[in-house]
Amino acid sequence: MRLVPIVLVISALECMRGVTVSPACKCISYESSHTKVGYFTSPNFSQPYPDGIHCLLYTFVGEKDEMVELTLLEFDLQAPFHDSCDDAVTMYLDLKQPAVNEYTKPDAVLCGSIYNIPSVHYYSTKNILMFEFKSDDIRSNNTGFQGEFKFLKQDLFSTNGDLVSNTNCDYIIDSKGKLRRGKFFSPGYPSFNKMKSIHCKYTFAGSHNQRVKLYFKKVTLKGTESSCISSRDKILVHDGDSIESAVIAEYCDTESLVEVFSTGSNMLVQLFAKTIKSTEGFEASYEFIDDSIYPSSELSSTEPDREGGSTDLGSPSVVDCDRIIRSVNQAGQPTVSGNFTSPNYPNPYPANIQCRYTFIGKGRERVQIKFADFDLYHPTKESEECRCQCDLNARVTDKYSRSGDPEFSSSDTHPFCCVDVDIVEISTIINGESADVDDFCGKAESQMVMSSGAKLTVTFMSFGALNGATRDNRGFLGQYNFVTNFGIETGEMANDSACGFIYNSSVTKSGTFNSPNYPGRYPRNTECHFMFYGFPEEQVRIAFTYFDIEGIYPCLGNTESDYVEFSNFRASVDRKLPRYCGGNKPRVQISDGQFFRVTFKSNSMFDATGFDAKYQFIDVSNADETHAPSSSGRNKEKSRHKHNKGRSTTVQTPPSSAADETHAPSSSGRNKEKSRHKHTRGRSTTVQTPPSSAADETHAPSSSGRNKEKSRHKHNKGRSTTVQSNINNQQASDSSAKTSGGGGSPSSTSSNGICLSCTCIFMCMQVSWCFLPLVSSYWQLVLL
């Protein structure tokens, strides 16, 4: 039953007995004592609202222990003109009494369409909320607004814990004598908080046999185009009760439905924010879990699976083959790695079964999967496609039977349909939802797959035999690993980042580093930092031997691009150095000083193979010629760094020998990349084969692979299909310009002796070498 609020239109003196914005204001009042839920609209909604509304004040007043929630369901006002709103809704969220005047500072001014406003949800900080609606004298066809209001109990958003004395937002949440589960929030959530430079700590202390599970239902912070390391607003989750404990999760933008597990009994959450506006902050829950309740990794799941579990797909053959595999078993012993197989392996597996293998890690662990042996039934030798060529819904609507296909009849002999392909599907959790990572079928050569978080699911499905055919395939042997280093074997892991690695010159002068899970596809929603620390007279040199990062130049957020970026600063963006993605392999990078940072970031959309790179600490005090980017003009670049720290010395130097090729994926491993794109949802079936000969100096993806990558963008949120070729042309142009303008001295040979003298005069004036040819040509024309 829809509740109808009591609406009162009264004079300014009677308007909640308060002071209004203008004596001409009319008031519409909603009180909690009449109804807890209701709706409000602009005048004449859904017809155009009247012009000349100088002040219409909506007032919502709840009980002392309540707060007001407004949700705008429809919003259509006159568009802003020169950033000014002539027709507007002005929100007042932080009021102690139902009164506003011309000196009351508004918390939000809304105009335009519902797509122009920052949020559709608004909350009061206390029990009162007011907003003013006005329109100018110009008639418009805009229909106004419609919304819903609710009066909620304030304790719904109270943190279940003990506030630390003399602090604003530090809490200790102890499992002893308290609830084993509860909620915690950012200060002022879901409204805003007036504190500046917010720093809150939430410390979770469990018993020795317990672990902490956190569930972030919603995180909304002021995200930036850059990585979390340079964001002022962020959440850090530590695997322990100290800020020195390792960071296992980090959030700095918008996240939802994210789970985090501790490895021990304690956990610490830190919130950093410059300010928190309405609807910003986070909402989360916690739970202290006994290790003893976890089932052993060797036991099958005995609970019914709502999504099917071990399902009868149409034949009498039903096999209980679900498994839950945790990185810590019932006895508290780690199960870092192991094997899992299809039923009856290495003998033929049954038809019409579904098996689900669920891997659950803890802390910063990620699940890494690789198949050592893979042999599934496939109806045709000519195709390696795992996806069906008929209606995909047929696999869901009717227990995966052929009768679920509306285009199939009992007399149809279609040789290749949904149910004909036995398949292994791998999925991970991203923003609380299952996201497909990869799938394998036939005799596919497997590559390593990594989860985006601590959980990964492998689903194996076999279907009914077609035309009496029998299954004689042996199935699969899979290998799993719970890894904490993201598949990056070099460097020292940093404690202040979920995926951070430190390379010190005092340990080694050169080496390699790579993207997570390389040479397999990197996980989505992952951010890794590589920090290089040299001695005072050293610089850092970075050269990429392989590069394949999904995205479109200039690799910004609006193109849904993953990227690699560089910085001479530890925690801020180096704006003189561009980002790199796609097939646009970075040039050789040389730091300005003794420190350099490389950051890799992937989003939740797509993935690719990643990168492999070399690093070297160069002693610039002696200007070793062998480390210069080139043999002519660029050798002088090192001495210039000492006097010119603010300038980027990024140069393009393709590898000059076949030795560099050894870091590219081998033909036996990386040629498996050909199946990479055809399994990714929303992409075209493009292939990538890394270069296999030293002749390809740029190490960019081959023309048969990466050039076809452009077609992928047609399916990728309207991306441009021409940008990449323009980038390559621009790179060639830049390289040519550097060769002609920066390598060696300019030519002073001329048939005109005067022009030669002019050039020498400008040389004495210390004009840069790169401008001398232009100057000489200019004077030659003038004197002639």
Side-chain angles (χ1 to χ4, degrees):
M1 178 178 178
R2 178 169 171 173
L3 298 176
V4 180
I6 296 178
V7 180
L8 305 175
V9 181
I10 53 181
S11 67
L13 293 178
E14 297 172 325
C15 185
M16 301 305 298
R17 298 181 180 177
V19 181
T20 62
V21 176
S22 165
C25 276
K26 294 183 178 180
C27 297
I28 302 178
S29 174
Y30 302 84
E31 296 188 38
S32 172
S33 58
H34 296 295
T35 181
K36 300 296 184 183
V37 180
Y39 296 87
F40 60 92
T41 66
S42 57
N44 297 340
F45 186 86
S46 60
Q47 300 298 318
Y49 54 81
D51 57 285
I53 300 176
H54 299 294
C55 177
L56 182 58
L57 204 60
Y58 293 71
T59 304
F60 304 83
V61 180
E63 303 294 338
K64 291 296 183 182
D65 61 345
E66 292 179 333
M67 63 187 304
V68 186
E69 176 192 63
L70 295 189
T71 302
L72 296 173
L73 304 175
E74 297 186 51
F75 194 87
D76 177 32
L77 300 188
Q78 191 179 114
F81 182 72
H82 293 305
D83 296 326
S84 176
C85 296
D86 294 325
D87 295 3
V89 167
T90 304
M91 293 280 185
Y92 301 92
L93 307 177
D94 187 32
L95 299 173
K96 294 182 179 180
Q97 57 182 347
V100 293
N101 57 32
E102 65 271 23
Y103 302 108
T104 306
K105 184 179 179 180
D107 297 299
V109 178
L110 314 178
C111 62
S113 73
I114 198 168
Y115 303 105
N116 302 127
I117 60 179
S119 176
V120 296
H121 300 286
Y122 294 90
Y123 298 84
S124 64
T125 59
K126 300 178 182 61
N127 64 320
I128 300 169
L129 186 151
M130 300 176 71
F131 72 83
E132 176 200 1
F133 173 50
K134 67 173 184 177
S135 65
D136 60 16
D137 295 327
I138 301 176
R139 186 71 175 177
S140 71
N141 291 322
N142 302 92
T143 56
F145 54 82
Q146 179 186 35
E148 180 183 32
F149 69 86
K150 292 181 181 179
F151 293 100
L152 307 175
K153 292 293 185 180
Q154 294 180 17
D155 59 12
L156 289 175
F157 302 98
S158 297
T159 295
N160 301 129
D162 297 325
L163 181 66
V164 178
S165 59
N166 300 321
T167 68
N168 291 315
C169 55
D170 289 359
Y171 288 88
I172 295 179
I173 302 171
D174 194 335
S175 66
K176 298 177 181 179
K178 298 288 184 181
L179 293 174
R180 294 172 61 94
R181 63 183 63 185
K183 297 181 179 180
F184 65 107
F185 306 88
S186 57
Y189 187 88
S191 188
F192 64 92
N193 193 283
K194 290 189 174 181
M195 292 190 301
K196 303 295 183 182
S197 300
I198 297 169
H199 182 199
C200 302
K201 297 178 184 177
Y202 306 82
T203 304
F204 300 87
S207 302
H208 71 281
N209 64 335
Q210 291 180 326
R211 290 201 290 144
V212 186
K213 171 187 173 182
L214 300 184
Y215 181 75
F216 287 91
K217 183 177 180 180
K218 184 178 181 182
V219 175
T220 307
L221 298 175
K222 287 191 285 292
T224 64
E225 278 285 314
S226 57
S227 61
C228 282
I229 198 170
S230 57
S231 176
R232 293 184 178 181
D233 297 0
K234 69 179 69 176
I235 295 172
L236 299 180
V237 182
H238 297 266
D239 194 16
D241 58 2
S242 167
I243 60 174
E244 303 300 326
S245 302
V247 173
I248 58 177
E250 188 172 9
Y251 312 112
C252 62
D253 197 347
T254 300
E255 303 282 348
S256 61
L257 309 178
V258 181
E259 285 185 342
V260 185
F261 292 87
S262 67
T263 59
S265 57
N266 299 321
M267 188 177 281
L268 172 67
V269 175
Q270 290 194 92
L271 168 66
F272 300 89
K274 186 177 180 181
T275 59
I276 294 181
K277 296 182 179 179
S278 182
T279 71
E280 291 180 349
F282 71 83
E283 175 184 358
S285 62
Y286 66 87
E287 183 177 2
F288 294 100
I289 304 175
D290 292 336
D291 279 333
S292 60
I293 69 172
Y294 289 150
S296 168
S297 63
E298 298 303 319
L299 297 179
S300 298
S301 172
T302 58
E303 297 180 359
D305 194 319
R306 288 178 297 177
E307 297 181 3
S310 297
T311 305
D312 181 357
L313 301 183
S315 85
S317 175
V318 177
V319 178
D320 183 14
C321 53
D322 285 3
R323 289 181 62 190
I324 297 177
I325 303 173
R326 300 181 186 271
S327 60
V328 176
N329 63 21
Q330 187 175 5
Q333 300 298 319
T335 56
V336 176
S337 62
N339 298 330
F340 65 103
T341 66
S342 55
N344 301 336
Y345 179 88
N347 298 315
Y349 56 85
N352 297 315
I353 63 170
Q354 176 173 318
C355 303
R356 181 174 287 109
Y357 309 81
T358 303
F359 301 86
I360 303 176
K362 62 186 185 303
R364 60 166 54 145
E365 287 178 342
R366 297 296 184 267
V367 187
Q368 198 172 43
I369 297 290
K370 184 175 177 63
F371 291 100
D373 186 22
F374 198 89
D375 177 28
L376 300 187
Y377 172 79
H378 198 286
T380 174
K381 303 289 187 182
E382 289 75 21
S383 174
E384 292 297 327
E385 289 290 341
C386 297
R387 293 295 165 188
C388 57
Q389 293 183 351
C390 56
D391 186 6
L392 282 173
N393 291 327
R395 306 178 67 174
V396 179
T397 57
D398 193 20
K399 296 287 187 180
Y400 308 102
S401 68
R402 291 179 67 91
S403 60
D405 182 5
E407 298 181 0
F408 179 80
S409 65
S410 58
S411 60
D412 199 332
T413 58
H414 196 294
F416 182 55
C417 198
C418 302
V419 297
D420 300 339
V421 183
D422 296 347
I423 188 171
V424 167
E425 297 179 334
I426 301 179
S427 60
T428 188
I429 301 298
I430 298 178
N431 289 333
E433 297 182 355
S434 178
D436 291 338
V437 176
D438 212 337
D439 49 42
F440 302 98
C441 62
K443 300 181 185 295
E445 295 184 40
S446 169
Q447 56 182 318
M448 287 188 297
V449 176
M450 182 174 286
S451 62
S452 297
K455 186 176 180 180
L456 182 139
T457 300
V458 177
T459 303
F460 168 51
M461 291 179 287
S462 70
F463 300 97
L466 182 64
N467 296 328
T470 60
R471 297 284 191 266
D472 57 1
N473 304 79
R474 60 183 176 273
F476 61 83
L477 167 63
Q479 300 171 338
Y480 68 86
N481 287 279
F482 292 98
V483 299
T484 59
N485 64 357
F486 291 81
I488 300 169
E489 302 293 342
T490 60
E492 176 187 355
M493 285 206 74
N495 275 345
D496 60 354
S497 176
C499 180
F501 296 85
I502 297 174
Y503 300 83
N504 275 308
S505 175
S506 60
V507 177
T508 181
K509 295 296 183 183
S510 63
T512 63
F513 66 101
N514 53 264
S515 54
N517 198 46
Y518 183 86
R521 301 213 303 269
Y522 54 75
R524 303 172 201 171
N525 257 20
T526 299
E527 180 176 315
C528 294
H529 307 283
F530 305 87
M531 308 286 190
F532 298 88
Y533 295 90
F535 289 110
E537 292 301 319
E538 289 182 332
Q539 290 173 316
V540 186
R541 182 181 188 271
I542 305 292
F544 287 82
T545 55
Y546 182 81
F547 192 85
D548 176 29
I549 303 296
E550 212 287 327
I552 299 243
Y553 190 82
C555 317
L556 300 178
N558 59 0
T559 62
E560 300 290 354
S561 294
D562 306 332
Y563 63 83
V564 168
E565 70 176 10
F566 307 92
S567 179
N568 287 284
F569 314 103
R570 190 192 181 286
S572 60
V573 177
D574 198 337
R575 301 193 181 279
K576 65 180 179 294
L577 299 178
R579 290 178 179 177
Y580 291 87
C581 63
N584 182 28
K585 190 181 77 168
R587 304 170 179 181
V588 172
Q589 303 287 320
I590 298 179
S591 65
D592 290 346
Q594 68 190 84
F595 173 81
F596 206 46
R597 170 171 60 86
V598 179
T599 291
F600 161 79
K601 186 171 184 179
S602 64
N603 59 32
S604 61
M605 297 293 294
F606 303 110
D607 46 35
T609 308
F611 67 82
D612 190 30
K614 301 177 183 178
Y615 70 88
Q616 186 176 20
F617 294 99
I618 305 172
D619 186 353
V620 295
S621 60
N622 296 321
D624 186 356
E625 295 292 327
T626 62
H627 298 306
S630 67
S631 59
S632 56
R634 298 309 296 169
N635 282 346
K636 304 173 184 178
E637 195 71 43
K638 295 178 182 176
S639 60
R640 185 187 309 173
H641 286 306
K642 295 187 232 180
H643 311 289
N644 199 10
K645 296 295 183 185
R647 182 177 302 175
S648 169
T649 58
T650 306
V651 293
Q652 171 74 52
T653 308
S656 57
S657 69
D660 284 344
E661 295 291 339
T662 61
H663 293 281
S666 65
S667 59
S668 63
R670 296 314 311 144
N671 285 345
K672 303 169 188 176
E673 187 68 20
K674 62 186 179 180
S675 65
R676 177 166 67 89
H677 293 298
K678 62 186 179 181
H679 304 302
T680 305
R681 306 299 181 267
R683 294 188 182 182
S684 60
T685 56
T686 36
V687 258
Q688 168 153 350
T689 304
S692 56
S693 66
D696 188 358
E697 295 294 337
T698 63
H699 295 272
S702 64
S703 59
S704 64
R706 287 307 295 176
N707 286 348
K708 297 177 185 177
E709 192 77 334
K710 301 173 189 175
S711 65
R712 170 175 61 189
H713 303 308
K714 299 177 186 176
H715 311 285
N716 194 1
K717 294 189 178 294
R719 293 184 176 179
S720 168
T721 60
T722 59
V723 175
Q724 190 60 60
S725 59
N726 293 339
I727 296 169
N728 296 334
N729 294 337
Q730 183 62 42
Q731 281 188 307
S733 175
D734 292 345
S735 177
S736 175
K738 286 181 180 292
T739 303
S740 62
S745 60
S747 174
S748 58
T749 304
S750 174
S751 59
N752 191 321
I754 298 177
C755 289
L756 177 61
S757 300
C758 293
T759 303
C760 293
I761 291 173
F762 278 95
M763 287 170 59
C764 294
M765 296 172 63
Q766 297 182 350
V767 174
S768 176
W769 282 108
C770 63
F771 291 107
L772 286 175
L774 299 176
V775 173
S776 178
S777 300
Y778 171 79
W779 282 106
Q780 185 176 8
L781 292 173
V782 170
L783 294 175
L784 288 176

